[in-house]
Amino acid sequence: MSDASPTSTSPPGAAPLLRARDLKVHFPIERGVLFKRRIGSVRAVDGISFDVAPGETLGLVGESGCGKSTTARAIIRLVQPTAGSVEFQGVDLATLSSDDMREARQDLQMIFQDPYASLNPRMTVLNIVAEPLRNFGLARGGALLERVCELLELVGLSATWRNRYPHEFSGGQRQRIGVARALALDPSMILCDEPVSALDVSVQAQVVNLLQDLQARLCLTYLFIAHDLAVVRHISDRVAVMYLGRIVEIAPSAEIYAAPRHPYTVALLSAIPIPDPALQRARRRIALHGEIPSPTKEYAGCRFADRCPARIARCAVEDPPFVEYTPGHFAACWVTGPDGLPEGAMDAR
Amino acid sequence: MPDTDSAIDAVAGPSPVDRAPVQGESLWQDAWRRLEKNRMAMVGLVVTIVMSLSAVLAEVISPFDPAVQQRWIGALPPWSRTLSLRNEIRVTKGERPLELEVPQACADVLGDGREHELAFEVQEETVSRVRVVAAGAAIEALHLAVPGSIPTRPDEIVVREGEFFRDAATGARFAFTELAKGGSLPAALGVREGRYVVPLERVGRDAGGAYRVGITFAGDGAVARIVRGSGGAPPDSISLMPAEIADVTLDGERLTHLHILGTDQEGRDSLSRLIFGGRISLLVGVTATLVSLVIGVLYGAIAGYVGGRADNVMMRIVDILYGMPYLFVVILMMVAFGRSIWILFIALGALQWLTMARIVRGQVLSLREKEFVDAAITCGTRGAQILTRHLIPNVLGVVVVYMTLTVPAVILQESFLAFLGLTVEWDGRPLESWGALVNYGREALGGGGEFWWLLLWPSIAMSITLFSLNFLGDGLRDAFDPQQRGRM
Ligand SMILES: Nc1ncnc2c1ncn2[C@@H]1O[C@H](COP(=O)(O)OP(=O)(O)OP(=O)(O)O)[C@@H](O)[C@H]1O
Ligand SMILES: [Mg+2]
């Protein structure tokens, strides 16, 4: 990891809006009734670095439990990072006091994974969307109402629904309410933590389109988290693939789909259904075997080695460095070479 | 971005604020709608409301004073009619002539050939008893006695000169001395208790045909007496007894009282006792629950919200208190601090809050992890407001459910204490809850079970109330249950 140089992951020709360096979040595992002993830790995020340029969308993809949410939550300081820095607009968020962080969040908002849990069921839509405005005293009375209505219409909800409660809405509509709340403070960046994973496939596209539309209108920057590559395909400018607390590959969107370099990325891509049934049948899906990865375990080598169809002896003992193969395309793998993965490397043994 | 703005306007149309909002349904309304559909819970709710109302309005709805002991109507079975002349007899101190009348209405009721007991409640705490022996259609004899108030020194009773009888029909007055002279009534009438014969011509009859005799004694020496009549014959004797009575009127308009649920051995009306007992039981239940609510919610919310070591220590304290033998504690407290009702409130409330604190802590702990709390932090909401705006409103549903289930639990605990004889007192008078009534009934039941109603009614009342509250609590839980609702 050490040779992942600070500037290496930024897209060409732009000063990053967000710059995460060697970010780590370890949760202690404790035992004991009154006096806790630390008996280990969950390395939910274990040293990741990436940049997000203004106006760009960085997709962050990985299977469940790999630390995507924790990454987003550490950036916005819902959890305290264990180590590393998160520079946002040139300020290191990781070291801000909680009051300063509160101010900083005006420009950095988040959309949550579960549209059912992310809205207080006892509050009306009006109060939910108005909450950030009230907190910072940005509007009151008629102006507040007007702003809330404007936000609701902006995310495609009728302002006449403002006195209804979250449970009266569908998942997609609820997610739109979450978007409206995130937009209320007029932020420059939004962390979207699997905003569509909990939604029906038919609704997913609508919400993704809405987010894209809003990005164009309001010059937003997104960190867009998803657990499969299909979802981030349309919206992302670049995609980072995460595995067990690490980023294993990061590349411009088109490239990662066309020429993946990390075996894990290849496996993820093989799981995307292809609309053409003939092609779908012809293609071989790479099934991952091996032990279910554990974030509590310490790894000497590559974390993916246990399950990797392409692994070589070195993988289990030495951590692969994050290497830039083509401009902006990084991967951490011992097997992959300048021309990508060797032919047949992914064939199951 | 001018074109973007116009695009938004096109979507929004003319100012969205002006369009009337659709009124949403809050989770409270939603829960109520669910509750309404739950028949058992609604029955429970109605019964609970009725019970609460009867507890609040006990003075208004209870037919009798539950505390007044009238042994002569003791242990009457349910649906007994008693001939209480309470309210009909007015006795006041004074020097006016004593008039006692046997009303026709009284004769009508009493003339059924059985022996009746009439209760006379006399003011100034003097209680009299009338024994009516009615052999035929008419009254044969009335004994009006003043138990326990016969003076030990009968010579204190002095008959004044010049006092008189009054003939109710004619209005004529007879001087007492005159009466004594004319008949066999001794001149020293006032000196002793006894039976005296009144000459027939000296007894008046009123328009209704009732017999009237009037006797006046001086000072505190007072009278009760017998008017004897038989088959339309005028009374032939009076019995004189000293008491603190100077004036007795008996108008006989309301003579019968229905004791729907019977009376206890002290002659107290069972229904009235039940109503007032319910007041005590519910009061204890509700108050102790409120005590537990305040302590439990605060304690639990703080433990859950602060978390970490503070939470740990706070919950260990709860665990330790949980392990204490509560009954022992309550008994100790009542022995140490007296049988005040406040001690009971505090003792029972102080026990119940433990569970409340655990529940609230658990809720807050899980709510704290909910994404809407993260969202609130993200949009700049501060700690105190997170607690008041986001956590507490979401805990309230569970709290309401648990409260509804705590009230019956406390009622049961208090009954248990009362059953053990640990009744509380107020102003030196015992407050008899349903538990105390059950205990009384159990004692009265004895071996034969002849006074079964004394045990049955409080048991039924308590069971119905406990069932109702539990049904209501279960109904509320279902109504608030997110699982059942399938969303959230
Ligand atoms: N507060 C916490 N305490 C302890 N462990 C945690 C905590 N939050 C997350 N973890 C652990 O960290 C790991 C990463 O969790 P995270 O929620 O970031 O995964 P994710 O990639 O977002 O998964 P998903 O797709 O299911 O949302 C998991 O193993 C999780 O159990
Ligand atoms: Mg997640």
Side-chain angles (χ1 to χ4, degrees), chain A residues 64-70 73 113 193-194 225 227, chain B residues 371:
Chain A
S64 185
C66 71
K68 308 180 297 291
S69 297
T70 308
R73 291 162 58 82
Q113 185 165 357
D193 183 6
E194 302 197 37
I225 297 172
H227 60 245
Chain B
E371 283 183 347

Side-chain angles (χ1 to χ4, degrees), chain A residues 33 45 52 61 76 81 96 105 112 124 137 148 160 165-166 183 215 217 230 263 270 283 291 302 315 347:
Chain A
V33 180
V45 176
V52 187
V61 178
I76 205 164
L96 285 185
R105 288 197 190 107
F112 293 86
T124 59
V148 170
T160 58
Y165 291 84
L183 290 176
Q215 181 171 41
R217 278 189 199 176
S270 79
R283 191 180 60 163
E291 208 181 322
C302 174
C315 295
D347 293 339

